Amino acid sequence: MVGETVPPAELRQEYPTTGGLSRADLAGDWWTQFHRWFADAVAAGLPEPNAMVVSTADGRGRPSSRTVLLKGYDERGLVFYTNYGSRKGTEARANPSASLLFPWFPMQRQVVICGTVTPVDRAETEAYFASRPRGSQLGAWASPQSEVLADRTVLDDRFRAVVERFPEGTPVPPPPHWGGLRVVPESVEFWQGRASRLHDRLRYRRSGTQHWTIERLAP
């Protein structure tokens, strides 16, 4: 018998009546503002504050989402790494648009970023790959990400083969099918929870090569 549970509609949490986000609070550019909020999330001790939901779509517009870890950001955009043959990798190639969502719920904050996807250069990928733990390096070679496996032993066998190929003490280069993707923002929305669901939503929207328009959205 399925146990009783609370109906989802009853799981309501009222946000604080103090605080908020005003236009005067914002930095002049999205990157500085993101840096501030990201630093706040780290300082607050949130688990994996660099975790973000990445949404892509295939050539027919059918979406998919998954959680990945942000590995770098600057004024050019936000970077994560993947197997280019994975679902997100193939979708980004077929339809180079993506959305990123940082769900910092304990702080009643979200950041939503929409933009275009471009691969990072190989030198940047190699530098990041060299910083990964050895197990993660070997795993990138072993996993045919997003492919169907008959069972777990297939993956374990592939990992053992990679360990034999790159014995301890041998450098592990990044696989040719693995690398970074950069989401170049076209809009960046900062969302702050408020009472009565009247949340603050302020968005930076690209309106030129170097210019950004800041606008308030209705919650």
Side-chain angles (χ1 to χ4, degrees), residues 144-157:
Q145 192 173 7
S146 298
E147 292 185 13
V148 175
L149 299 177
D151 53 44
R152 174 72 192 199
T153 61
V154 175
L155 187 61
D156 293 338
D157 289 344

Side-chain angles (χ1 to χ4, degrees), residues 4-209:
E4 292 185 4
T5 186
V6 178
E10 295 182 13
L11 295 173
R12 181 175 298 278
Q13 177 181 343
E14 190 65 38
Y15 294 140
T17 57
T18 59
L21 183 65
S22 69
R23 173 66 180 82
D25 296 326
L26 294 181
D29 60 86
W30 75 266
W31 176 72
T32 301
Q33 183 62 35
F34 180 82
H35 183 72
R36 290 177 182 173
W37 272 27
F38 186 74
D40 288 346
V42 173
L46 270 58
E48 295 196 295
N50 58 327
M52 59 185 183
V53 179
V54 177
S55 298
T56 54
D58 64 18
R60 294 172 57 186
R62 295 174 299 187
S64 65
S65 299
R66 73 290 292 162
T67 302
V68 304
L69 299 178
L70 174 70
K71 293 301 182 180
Y73 64 91
D74 57 24
E75 63 276 6
R76 296 173 297 170
L78 301 94
V79 174
F80 63 94
Y81 290 84
T82 188
N83 184 317
Y84 288 143
S86 66
R87 182 173 184 178
K88 58 184 172 296
T90 56
E91 289 184 348
R93 185 167 59 250
N95 184 356
S97 298
S99 176
L100 309 178
L101 167 64
F102 291 86
W104 294 325
F105 300 131
M107 304 178 71
Q108 295 89 47
R109 286 179 175 179
Q110 299 182 74
V111 180
V112 182
I113 299 167
C114 298
T116 56
V117 184
T118 61
V120 307
D121 63 54
R122 198 60 185 171
E124 190 172 343
T125 287
E126 291 173 354
Y128 167 70
F129 193 83
S131 73
R132 301 185 92 201
R134 185 175 181 84
S136 298
Q137 293 176 335
L138 297 172
W141 281 94
S143 175
Q145 192 173 7
S146 298
E147 292 185 13
V148 175
L149 299 177
D151 53 44
R152 174 72 192 199
T153 61
V154 175
L155 187 61
D156 293 338
D157 289 344
R158 289 177 63 98
F159 188 78
R160 280 191 290 270
V162 172
V163 171
E164 292 178 2
R165 178 179 178 182
F166 300 106
E168 193 65 40
T170 303
V172 183
H177 54 268
W178 190 97
L181 294 174
R182 175 177 286 109
V183 177
V184 181
E186 295 177 355
S187 68
V188 182
E189 177 186 330
F190 293 87
W191 182 101
Q192 178 68 63
R194 296 290 297 272
S196 303
R197 296 298 188 261
L198 296 177
H199 313 304
D200 287 321
R201 299 174 58 191
L202 287 126
R203 179 177 66 184
Y204 294 77
R205 179 174 52 82
R206 188 185 294 277
S207 57
T209 304

